[in-house]
Amino acid sequence: MAGLLDRCRILMSNVRTGRRPLRHRADPEPERGRRTRTGDAHGPRHTPAWRRRPAPGVRSFAAQAFAVQMVMLLVLIIAAGAVLVLETWNNSLADARHRTRSVAESFASAPGTAQALDSRDPTAILQPRAEETRKRAGVAFVVVYRPDGIRLTHPDPALIGKHVIGPYKQAVEGRPFTEVINATRGPAVDSIVPVFRPDGSVAGVVSVAITLGTVNTTVQHQLPVLLGGVGGALVLATCGSAWASRRLRRQTHGLGHVELTRMYEHHDAVLHSVREGVLVLSGQGRLLLANDEARRLLGLPADAEGRRIADLGLEPRVAELLSSGRVASDEVLLAGDRLLIVNTRLTDRAGGPAGSVTTLRDTTELRALSGRVEEAQERLRLLYDAGVRVGTALDVVRTAEELAEVAVPRFADLVTVELLEPVLRGDEPTDTADMRRTVILGDSLDPPVFPVGGRITWVPGTPMAAALETGHAVLEADLGAARDWRVQSPETAARILDHGIRSLIAVPMRARGVLLGLADFWRTDRRSPFDDDDRSLAEELVARAAVSIDNARRYTHAHGVAVTLQRSLLPRGRPEQNALEVAHRYLPAQAGGVGGDWFDVIPLSGARVALVVGDVVGHGLHAAATMGRLRTAVLNFSALDLPPDEILVHLDELVTRIDQDRAAEAEADTVTGATCLYAIYDPAGGRCTVATAGHPGPALVRPDGTVIFPEVPASPPLGLAAGLPVGTAELDLAEGSLLVLYTDGLVEDRDRDIGTGLALLRDTLAGRPDRSPEETCREVIDAVLPPRPSDDVALLVARTRLLDPADVVEWDVPRDSASVAPVRAACARQLDAWGLEEVGFDTELMLSELVTNAIRYGSEPIRVRMLRDRDLICEVSDGSSTSPHPRRAALTDEGGRGLFLVAQLARRWGTRYTPHGKVIWTEQPLHGGSARPGGDLGDLLLDQWDDEAL
């Protein structure tokens, strides 16, 4: 624009002097081979004069002066560099002379040198000194020889004892000297110094030399610095010359008459080739100059220049602005069917002639282009939003809904999505599978399409069938004029048209080359129909959604496998026991994969019941499989009748071994810990023993409805305890209390801390103690569980019961064999009172055997307890921790058959340890019949005798 204003000023001065401007004149001396670039309809494009090389032989004074300066500087710098290099060489050579002379004189005058020369073996004394001096001084050699020229030292021991070749007579006469010689290691600077005795006579000669190669190396080390200085001087001089030349070129403009003429013609050509109209007006409102673009935009006649603006027949607003002489900035005016942006500036503000310059720019095409840009930006924003919003949840149906939510209403008025049935289940899709309508989303509440959940088989010829067959999107811009799509259902097609839907794009949904479903985009007559650009956009949207749906399908499949494995490893039913009324829930995670949560209800001896809740760290199949291993281990440890703390210690060792095995196999998915809570409830006294390893403690709902969280000693999670002891808590529970055990997934979530979850659990449990465990489970899950839990949840609710005191009897037994008969009599009376005469003989026999063993092998106190529950339970306790074990007695043995009889007569029997001894227990069915196959006692003894006889 500045160039145009300069051109306009020149033109204004030409007008005042009566000259006409040159327009499109050819160069007086055109360059050969010059390339021209054709522009648009407004004229050719010209290369600017300042970007073209001057004609051959034409050089400005500034360029010639710069060339002379550069030649002179180059000669001076090369000469200065040579002088510096020569001076450096001379200095290095002088330094070598000085160093060798100093080293030689120091060695010759060193204490002991003259005495060594007069000794019987001077070489043995001087050779080490000479080599040490040579190495420290960094010289080529230090040689000592006698006045007759025989070497006494040399770096090469083979030359010791050989005659010196070279001038040394002057040193023998007592005069030191330095010269350049040809030594065995090449040319060298050699200093020769005599060694004087105390009486002034010459005892020998010392020769110290530095090779010229070392001098050259020194020079070479200094040479980069010298060359760098020379180069820096050259660059500095070049920059200074260039700056001076540039200043000279700026002052003289660096142009001759040829360049000025070419620039003038170039400005004239540019004026008429730009896509912007230019008008130059005089102070009296006459048109002085109009370029070709201005003539086209305003429709000016050929003789417009020189005429008044009012006489050119322009639009009134345009004519008023041009003739007013006022400044205008980006004013929008209508000229015919064109929309122009007008800018006007006065030309006399910088000392130029009176008048104004006006520029005109056609924005009609620009506005249309701006609309297309906005449309493209909206498409990009839609794709960006699809990338952010589609696929946020690993759920097939939800991902399809997110695709529809992104597209409506920004892209379509109605979106329907059909997916193959295997995709909805998480299985691998097949070509023969049926499609099921999954999503319908539109701007109306009752869209006239097939409902969600229905199966759809597209009839050949419809756009949907064509899209599925070809694998590409099919566009139906005008549904009213098309006929093929109506064959699927004429009634539905009529309703669609009545609803105002006029355009359709059917896009197959494919991922990894496999068909997943179909997405249909519909538009009503309230907006323009779909076009080819919309079809491309729809394909891109569906392609992105297809990847997310396939990922969700794979996750659904893996999640289903993990859930199946998890449920197969959890308890299938409720074990038979009377101590607790139990209800439980297990809910797999919906947003993080199946975890390793588990629970268990394990009947124990003495009518006791163990409650277990645990959680394996991690998610997926590995966590589920590890959970199965831990649950099996808990069942096995429980069969040993171990207390809760010992069971958790054994579990900790097991988890540690599992981690070590995984680490040895270089597997990344190690367990890295698990948590567990183990509780044993005894209905005989209402005592509950609880131990936990990194797991949340239980919640206790008392019969009056109050809720507490009992304090349980904290212990590290399993696998991280490193052998630390586990603490236990003893709880006395009233009958009808609720004991609630849970995993952390119930009370903790990404958006909620555990404190908030525990408070919500407390509020849910409080106030209604009469609820059954099933009702409690249901209400806790509904109130406490997050909407989409990121971790699986195990919940176990147990209502306590107490044994009737009439069903529990105990006797203290003195440690006397005579006490066995009274115990048997008391047992018979109690069984008669309970109506269990059928099992009286077997029970008396087992009880007498156990009491006899306790008296014979155990220690006091000895107690007998009988409980009537689902089975008849007999317990004999004593103060000894020695565990009895059955053995097969020989035919001639008088004893050793007691535990064998107990094992044959009881349904189950075993030993459990207490802090003060042990308990041997038996269980029998309440009603008659042998506990085990094999007939009566006589048959059992006969079978044993037969086995031993054989």
Side-chain angles (χ1 to χ4, degrees):
M1 187 63 191
L4 292 177
L5 292 177
D6 292 339
R7 170 66 178 146
C8 292
R9 293 191 185 98
I10 296 174
L11 294 175
M12 290 296 293
S13 63
N14 291 341
V15 170
R16 287 188 296 178
T17 57
R19 291 187 296 170
R20 299 288 294 176
L22 296 175
R23 299 179 56 190
H24 300 289
R25 284 180 50 188
D27 292 343
E29 296 179 4
E31 297 177 8
R32 293 185 179 180
R34 184 179 66 184
R35 296 182 180 179
T36 60
R37 297 174 56 191
T38 58
D40 48 22
H42 304 287
R45 297 179 180 176
H46 297 269
T47 304
W50 52 86
R51 293 186 180 177
R52 290 184 297 171
R53 294 183 178 180
V58 179
R59 291 187 178 273
S60 66
F61 172 73
Q64 296 173 3
F66 179 74
V68 172
Q69 290 176 3
M70 289 305 301
V71 171
M72 294 176 63
L73 286 173
L74 187 60
V75 171
L76 291 175
I77 290 174
I78 291 175
V83 171
L84 288 175
V85 171
L86 183 59
E87 181 66 20
T88 302
W89 165 258
N90 291 333
N91 292 338
S92 299
L93 188 60
D95 179 69
R97 291 175 180 272
H98 177 72
R99 286 176 59 193
T100 56
R101 186 67 171 267
S102 300
V103 173
E105 290 177 350
S106 299
F107 191 88
S109 60
T113 303
Q115 291 81 356
L117 287 171
D118 294 334
S119 65
R120 297 181 60 184
D121 189 4
T123 299
I125 300 174
L126 296 177
Q127 175 69 9
R129 296 181 182 180
E131 286 302 301
E132 183 180 1
T133 302
R134 178 181 65 84
K135 294 177 180 179
R136 289 187 175 182
V139 296
F141 58 79
V142 177
V143 179
V144 181
Y145 45 89
R146 299 199 303 257
D148 58 358
I150 299 303
R151 295 187 182 95
L152 300 178
T153 66
H154 198 278
D156 185 1
L159 297 178
I160 297 176
K162 302 295 181 66
H163 195 274
V164 177
I165 299 174
Y168 63 91
K169 300 296 184 179
Q170 184 178 346
V172 173
E173 296 173 359
R175 291 174 297 174
F177 64 93
T178 301
E179 63 181 359
V180 178
I181 64 171
N182 290 322
T184 57
R185 299 189 180 184
V189 177
D190 188 13
S191 293
I192 303 173
V193 177
V195 180
F196 296 100
R197 295 187 180 92
D199 58 359
S201 61
V202 177
V205 178
V206 177
S207 175
V208 178
I210 294 178
T211 61
L212 293 182
T214 304
V215 177
N216 293 335
T217 302
T218 303
V219 175
Q220 291 175 0
H221 289 168
Q222 297 179 359
L223 191 58
V225 179
L226 296 176
L227 294 180
V230 171
L234 180 59
V235 171
L236 184 61
T238 302
C239 294
S241 299
W243 177 80
S245 176
R246 188 176 183 85
R247 289 279 298 178
L248 182 61
R249 185 181 181 89
R250 185 181 296 113
Q251 292 176 359
T252 61
H253 298 292
L255 299 174
H257 64 282
V258 176
E259 287 77 11
L260 287 174
T261 303
R262 183 178 291 115
M263 183 180 67
Y264 177 82
E265 295 174 350
H266 168 76
H267 285 177
D268 186 71
V270 170
L271 179 66
H272 296 282
S273 62
V274 294
R275 295 291 300 272
E276 193 170 276
V278 179
L279 298 173
V280 180
L281 289 83
S282 66
Q284 291 77 30
R286 294 185 178 274
L287 179 63
L288 302 179
L289 175 66
N291 67 349
D292 295 342
E293 182 70 6
R295 293 176 181 273
R296 184 182 71 86
L297 295 177
L298 297 178
L300 298 177
D303 59 346
E305 293 179 351
R307 297 172 58 182
R308 297 180 62 84
I309 293 297
D311 300 336
L312 296 178
L314 301 177
E315 293 286 343
R317 290 189 58 191
V318 176
E320 187 275 331
L321 175 61
L322 295 178
S323 58
S324 64
R326 62 182 177 87
V327 175
S329 296
D330 294 336
E331 289 195 16
V332 180
L333 300 177
L334 185 63
D337 57 350
R338 299 183 183 277
L339 198 63
L340 304 180
I341 293 182
V342 182
N343 288 275
T344 301
R345 296 292 184 271
L346 302 179
T347 57
D348 58 354
R349 291 189 174 182
S356 63
V357 175
T358 301
T359 60
L360 310 171
R361 187 168 66 250
D362 188 1
T363 63
T364 306
E365 298 177 359
L366 182 61
R367 173 162 296 188
L369 180 61
S370 176
R372 290 195 295 269
V373 170
E374 291 179 357
E375 184 178 355
Q377 289 178 344
E378 177 60 27
R379 293 174 184 269
L380 290 176
R381 283 193 294 267
L382 182 62
L383 291 176
Y384 173 78
D385 292 343
V388 173
R389 296 173 55 186
V390 177
T392 59
L394 291 174
D395 182 81
V396 173
V397 175
R398 179 55 191 159
T399 304
E401 292 174 350
E402 290 171 343
L403 169 63
E405 291 171 357
V406 169
V408 176
R410 297 167 61 182
F411 179 70
D413 298 316
L414 174 65
V415 173
T416 58
V417 179
E418 300 87 42
L419 296 177
L420 296 174
E421 289 189 345
V423 175
L424 294 172
R425 297 192 301 267
D427 299 333
E428 193 71 22
T430 59
D431 296 337
T432 59
D434 293 334
M435 280 194 176
R436 190 175 293 275
R437 176 62 55 82
T438 306
V439 175
I440 297 176
L441 183 63
D443 56 0
S444 62
L445 299 179
D446 186 20
V449 292
F450 297 120
V452 172
R455 293 184 178 180
I456 299 178
T457 301
W458 296 110
V459 177
T462 60
M464 295 77 169
L468 296 176
E469 181 179 358
T470 62
H472 299 287
V474 175
L475 168 64
E476 198 66 64
D478 188 0
L479 292 176
R483 300 297 177 190
D484 293 340
W485 72 283
R486 305 188 186 192
V487 299
Q488 181 77 31
S489 175
E491 297 80 5
T492 303
R495 289 198 303 270
I496 290 174
L497 294 176
D498 293 342
H499 194 75
I501 297 176
R502 291 293 182 269
S503 186
L504 164 68
I505 298 178
V507 186
M509 190 175 295
R510 305 178 69 89
R512 300 181 296 109
V514 179
L515 179 66
L516 303 177
L518 184 73
D520 307 315
F521 300 90
W522 311 77
R523 274 187 184 176
T524 62
D525 51 9
R526 294 191 298 271
R527 66 167 77 186
S528 60
F530 289 118
D531 54 19
D532 289 335
D533 292 339
D534 295 325
R535 175 168 53 186
S536 301
L537 179 59
E539 285 184 328
E540 182 67 22
L541 283 174
V542 174
R544 297 191 179 194
V547 174
S548 299
I549 288 178
D550 188 57
N551 291 337
R553 179 195 64 78
R554 293 186 175 191
Y555 172 79
T556 302
H557 177 73
H559 186 268
V561 172
V563 169
T564 302
L565 175 62
Q566 178 86 334
R567 293 191 182 279
S568 67
L569 297 174
L570 290 173
R572 296 295 183 90
R574 302 173 186 174
E576 296 181 356
Q577 49 84 29
N578 292 334
L580 297 169
E581 180 186 358
V582 178
H584 54 75
R585 292 288 188 277
Y586 171 75
L587 298 176
Q590 300 182 22
V594 174
D597 292 12
W598 90 92
F599 63 90
D600 226 327
V601 180
I602 306 172
L604 301 177
S605 63
R608 299 171 307 140
V609 178
L611 301 177
V612 188
V613 175
D615 184 4
V616 175
V617 175
H619 295 84
L621 292 176
H622 172 68
T626 305
M627 177 275 293
R629 298 176 65 178
L630 295 182
R631 178 172 179 258
T632 302
V634 170
L635 291 173
N636 293 332
F637 293 147
S638 299
L640 300 176
D641 261 337
L642 297 176
D645 54 340
E646 294 187 19
I647 286 181
L648 293 183
V649 170
H650 288 301
L651 283 179
D652 176 71
E653 296 174 354
L654 174 62
V655 173
T656 301
R657 286 198 299 271
I658 293 175
D659 282 343
Q660 292 173 351
D661 295 341
R662 295 289 182 183
E665 297 172 3
E667 293 190 11
D669 52 349
T670 56
V671 179
T672 64
T675 65
C676 182
L677 184 147
Y678 194 96
I680 296 179
Y681 175 69
D682 187 356
R687 174 64 61 88
C688 183
T689 304
V690 183
T692 178
H695 200 87
L700 178 60
V701 183
R702 292 171 175 166
D704 59 359
T706 59
V707 180
I708 63 171
F709 293 94
E711 291 290 337
V712 180
S715 298
L718 301 176
L720 304 176
L724 296 176
V726 178
T728 59
E730 300 287 341
L731 307 178
D732 292 323
L733 306 182
E735 186 172 12
S737 301
L738 280 179
L739 194 63
V740 181
L741 282 64
Y742 51 89
T743 56
D744 58 356
L746 178 69
V747 296
E748 190 175 11
D749 194 65
R750 295 189 184 97
D751 302 326
R752 184 181 67 190
D753 60 18
I754 190 170
T756 303
L758 291 175
L760 188 59
L761 177 61
R762 182 197 301 270
D763 296 340
T764 306
L765 294 174
R768 290 186 53 191
D770 57 337
R771 287 176 298 191
S772 67
E774 281 292 339
E775 294 174 341
T776 303
C777 282
R778 183 171 56 254
E779 294 184 11
V780 167
I781 292 296
D782 293 341
V784 182
L785 193 67
R788 291 183 59 81
S790 58
D791 194 6
D792 49 349
V793 175
L795 176 64
L796 189 61
V797 179
R799 183 182 297 281
T800 61
R801 297 170 179 164
L802 293 179
L803 289 178
D804 190 342
D807 293 333
V808 181
V809 294
E810 290 184 284
W811 303 291
D812 291 327
V813 180
R815 192 176 182 185
D816 185 359
S817 58
S819 304
V820 177
V823 170
R824 295 185 61 173
C827 173
R829 290 192 300 271
Q830 187 62 47
L831 293 177
D832 291 342
W834 284 342
L836 302 178
E837 297 87 352
E838 299 179 31
V839 297
F841 178 76
D842 293 346
T843 304
E844 292 177 32
L845 181 58
M846 289 188 297
L847 199 58
S848 62
E849 290 293 338
L850 296 178
V851 172
T852 300
N853 283 341
I855 293 173
R856 182 175 300 176
Y857 304 109
S859 61
E860 293 183 339
I862 301 173
R863 295 180 62 84
V864 174
R865 187 172 73 160
M866 295 179 61
L867 300 92
R868 184 178 64 170
D869 193 42
R870 288 179 175 272
D871 295 322
L872 178 61
I873 302 171
C874 296
E875 297 179 347
V876 178
S877 63
D878 65 83
S880 172
S881 60
T882 303
S883 175
H885 60 279
R887 65 182 180 87
R888 181 173 289 276
L891 186 61
T892 58
D893 291 343
E894 295 182 0
R897 298 178 178 86
L899 291 180
F900 174 78
L901 294 177
V902 171
Q904 295 296 324
L905 295 176
R907 174 184 293 174
R908 293 195 311 149
W909 77 282
T911 303
R912 72 173 181 267
Y913 295 93
T914 66
H916 307 292
K918 66 178 181 296
V919 176
I920 302 175
W921 54 270
T922 65
E923 290 184 3
Q924 299 169 258
L926 295 179
H927 301 287
S930 179
R932 292 180 182 239
D936 59 9
L937 179 60
D939 294 336
L940 294 175
L941 296 176
L942 182 60
D943 291 342
Q944 182 190 17
W945 182 86
D946 290 339
D947 292 339
E948 293 173 352
L950 292 174

